Amino acid sequence: MKTTQLIILIIMSLSPSIHSLAQKNANYDENKVREYQLPDVLTLQNGNKITNTRDWEKKRRPEILSLFEQEVYGRIPNAKLQPFSSKVIEESDEALNNTALRKQIAITFKKDDKEITINVLVYLPKNVENPPIFIGYNFYGNQSIIADENVILTRAWIDNNAEFGIDNHQANDASRGKRANRWPVEKILAQGFGLATIYYGDVDPDKNDFSDGIQSFFYKKGQTAPADNEWGAIAAWSWGLSRVMDYFKNDQSFNDSKYILMGHSRLGKAALWAGATDERFDIVISNDSGCGGAALSRRNYGETVAAINQSFPYWFANNFEKYNLNETNLPVDQHMLIALIAPRPVYIASAESDQWADPKGEYLSGHYAGIVYSLYGKTGLPSPTPPSVNQPVHNDMGYHIRTGIHDVTDYDWEQYMVFSKKHLM
Ligand code: GCU
C-alpha cells in the first residue's frame, strides 16, 4: 500500500471523530461571527456592473457558474456519455391501494467493464393529468421511502446497516419504509403532485474513493482521480439528477410535467448545484443544506469550509481546499449559487436545532441573491432579518425555519407543497 493511501485510510477511519469534534468546537455565538464582505453578485470580475437580465444571462451568470465549477464543486469533463439503455422495469396502475401509478425505470451507463444503473421510482396520482413532480435523492434506497413490497431493493454502497436493513451491500425487506417518516408519499399524491426518487449511491457511493462512481467513466487513459478542478461527489450527484431529467423529457408520459427538485443536507447541496446547472428544474428546494449548500461560506458559524473539507474532501473539487480558513479569497459565496437559479422559484429551509448548518447563513444567502430576482421583477427575501420559527415566507423565493432537528418533516413538505402550488398550479 502506498503511503498516501495509508494516510487516506487513517484519515477516513478518524473522520467520524474529527467530524464530531468539529461540530462540538464550532462557533455557535452570533457575536463571534467576524465581519465579512461578500463578492458582489452583479459586478463582473473586470469591475463592470450588471444592470439588466440580458447582461446577467450573457455575462455574469456564466462567469459565476464557471467560478463555482472551477473552485467549488468541480467541472464535469466534456466527453458525452449516453445511457447504454433506459428501461421501464416495473409498472402498475394499481399502486397504493389503486390510487396511484407506479413506474420503476433503470437508466444504465456502461464503459469498458464498468456499469452503473440509476434506478428511478415514480409515483403519480391517478386522477391528475401532468402533475408537477417532486424529484429527490434518498439516502437508503428507493425501498426505504415507503413500505411497498413492489419497490425494487437497492444494492447499497454501505456494507451493513442493521437499522436500515442493509446486509452485505444489499438492502433486504427489513429496509422497506425505514425512511417513510421523511417521505409522506400518500399526502404528496393527495395534493396532486407526483414523486420521483433515486438512491444517491447509484450514481456515486458516498466515500472517499474515486474508482467506483460515475467520475471514473470519464477518466482519460491512466487517470485514477479527478483533476484538481474536476468534480467531486456533489457534482456527480447533480449530474445524476440531470440524467434522470433527460429521461423524463424523453418519455412522453412525463414530458409535459413540471419538476420540483428537493434535497436534504448533502443532497440539498447537490440539489442546489443541479438547479444552478440545469434550468429544466422548475423549482429548487434546499432542506437544511448548510455549508457548501445554502449557507454563506464567509460566516464563521457552525460548519466551515475547513471543517467540511476535512471531513468530506471528496464532496468538492480539490481546489476548494485552497479556501480553508481563507474564505475571503473565494471568488464566490453561496448567495451567488442561489442567484444562479433565478428567476425560477427557490426555497431554503432551516431547522432551529440544526445550528451546524447555520440557519441564519442559509437565510442570508437567499436574501443577498434577491438582487438578481429583482432584475426579473421577482421578490426574494427582502428583509435582512430572518423570520421567526414556524413563520414561513413564500415569495418568489421561500424560506422557513421550523422547530426541531436536522431532518425532513411533514411540516417541511407542507410548506413545499403550498409554495409549489402557488407557483405551478
Ligand atoms: C454532515 C456534514 C454536513 C451535511 C450532513 C448531511 O453533518 O457536515 O455538511 O449536510 O452531514 O448530509 O447529513
Side-chain angles (χ1 to χ4, degrees):
M1 187 182 293
K2 284 200 216 135
T3 331
T4 42
Q5 283 174 317
L6 188 67
I7 294 171
I8 290 172
L9 274 180
I10 294 172
I11 293 176
M12 275 173 70
S13 64
L14 288 177
S15 63
S17 56
I18 289 176
H19 184 59
S20 36
L21 217 65
Q23 283 186 312
K24 208 166 133 241
N25 294 334
N27 172 43
Y28 298 109
D29 181 350
E30 201 53 47
N31 295 318
K32 293 197 179 134
V33 174
R34 288 185 292 271
E35 273 193 27
Y36 57 89
Q37 202 178 353
L38 294 175
D40 191 317
V41 195
L42 292 180
T43 303
L44 282 159
Q45 291 216 294
N46 67 12
N48 289 349
K49 295 249 185 259
I50 299 294
T51 53
N52 57 57
T53 56
R54 192 174 169 275
D55 286 348
W56 162 256
E57 287 171 15
K58 285 239 147 42
K59 298 179 181 162
R60 183 59 171 155
R61 189 177 186 280
E63 187 173 78
I64 295 175
L65 206 49
S66 156
L67 290 168
F68 271 109
E69 283 176 347
Q70 181 69 22
E71 306 297 325
V72 183
Y73 303 108
R75 288 179 192 284
I76 298 176
N78 272 332
K80 276 263 172 284
L81 182 65
Q82 294 301 336
F84 174 77
S85 65
S86 301
K87 288 189 277 218
V88 176
I89 48 176
E90 193 272 343
E91 204 169 5
S92 163
D93 56 7
E94 294 177 347
L96 310 182
N97 294 324
N98 217 5
T99 60
L101 308 174
R102 184 186 53 241
K103 206 162 174 172
Q104 299 188 71
I105 301 137
I107 308 169
T108 299
F109 294 90
K110 281 193 181 175
K111 166 112 192 276
D112 305 331
D113 56 343
K114 288 173 185 289
E115 182 171 322
I116 274 181
T117 295
I118 304 178
N119 290 293
V120 191
L121 166 65
V122 188
Y123 290 105
L124 301 174
K126 263 170 103 163
N127 55 353
V128 185
E129 218 176 301
N130 295 323
I133 300 177
F134 280 100
I135 166 167
Y137 275 126
N138 62 71
F139 281 87
Y140 288 99
N142 294 347
Q143 80 291 337
S144 69
I145 76 148
I146 186 167
D148 174 346
E149 61 182 18
N150 297 294
V151 177
I152 291 156
L153 293 166
T154 198
R155 290 277 306 147
W157 65 268
I158 38 176
D159 261 343
N160 277 319
N161 187 326
E163 192 204 341
F164 284 98
I166 293 170
D167 190 19
N168 195 19
H169 297 291
Q170 175 65 49
N172 54 48
D173 281 321
S175 69
R176 295 192 183 283
K178 270 284 154 72
R179 270 288 158 96
N181 59 310
R182 285 190 175 175
W183 300 91
V185 182
E186 275 97 349
K187 288 185 189 158
I188 294 171
L189 268 69
Q191 294 286 324
F193 294 96
L195 175 68
T197 190
I198 316 108
Y199 171 52
Y200 80 136
D202 280 353
V203 181
D204 187 19
D206 193 353
K207 54 187 169 136
N208 200 349
D209 174 345
F210 284 104
S211 67
D212 51 3
I214 194 66
Q215 290 99 338
S216 67
F217 285 55
F218 291 78
Y219 291 159
K220 297 194 195 99
K221 212 165 181 284
Q223 193 178 1
T224 53
D228 287 348
N229 68 345
E230 285 182 342
W231 47 343
I234 292 173
W237 297 324
S238 71
W239 178 91
L241 290 166
S242 289
R243 300 297 70 80
V244 173
M245 195 53 114
D246 294 343
Y247 176 84
F248 284 144
K249 293 289 179 187
N250 282 318
D251 179 330
Q252 278 186 356
S253 52
F254 293 109
N255 57 16
D256 282 336
S257 280
K258 298 279 187 201
Y259 293 89
I260 311 152
L261 176 58
M262 196 287 276
H264 170 62
S265 208
R266 66 199 69 185
L267 301 178
K269 308 180 208 296
L272 288 173
W273 184 230
T277 50
D278 189 335
E279 296 179 89
R280 294 172 299 175
F281 295 106
D282 300 285
I283 295 186
V284 184
I285 301 171
S286 146
N287 193 87
D288 306 354
S289 63
C291 183
L296 290 176
S297 297
R298 278 172 176 73
R299 267 173 59 84
N300 58 311
Y301 189 104
E303 188 169 31
T304 59
V305 172
I308 205 165
N309 277 330
Q310 189 166 32
S311 297
F312 305 101
Y314 60 96
W315 285 357
F316 301 91
N318 289 342
N319 273 349
F320 196 39
E321 292 189 11
K322 293 191 290 192
Y323 304 101
N324 291 351
L325 305 175
N326 180 30
E327 295 86 349
T328 319
N329 284 323
L330 245 180
V332 289
D333 209 315
Q334 300 305 105
H335 62 310
M336 293 152 90
L337 177 65
I338 307 295
L340 290 175
I341 298 167
R344 290 163 291 154
V346 64
Y347 200 114
I348 301 169
S350 310
E352 194 182 18
S353 303
D354 185 19
Q355 293 297 316
W356 179 239
D358 186 14
K360 185 167 180 193
E362 293 183 310
Y363 177 82
L364 287 176
S365 269
H367 170 68
Y368 291 119
I371 190 158
V372 177
Y373 280 77
S374 305
L375 283 185
Y376 287 94
K378 306 258 175 195
T379 311
L381 303 171
S383 166
T385 318
S388 314
V389 279
N390 304 329
Q391 297 293 322
V393 180
H394 292 173
N395 298 326
D396 293 301
M397 209 182 271
Y399 178 83
H400 71 250
I401 175 165
R402 60 156 169 79
T403 38
I405 58 166
H406 185 71
D407 199 359
V408 190
T409 67
D410 280 12
Y411 178 90
D412 296 319
W413 277 108
E414 280 153 23
Q415 302 315 316
Y416 303 153
M417 289 193 274
V418 171
F419 182 75
S420 300
K421 276 191 184 168
K422 172 172 168 171
H423 291 290
L424 299 178
M425 287 162 135

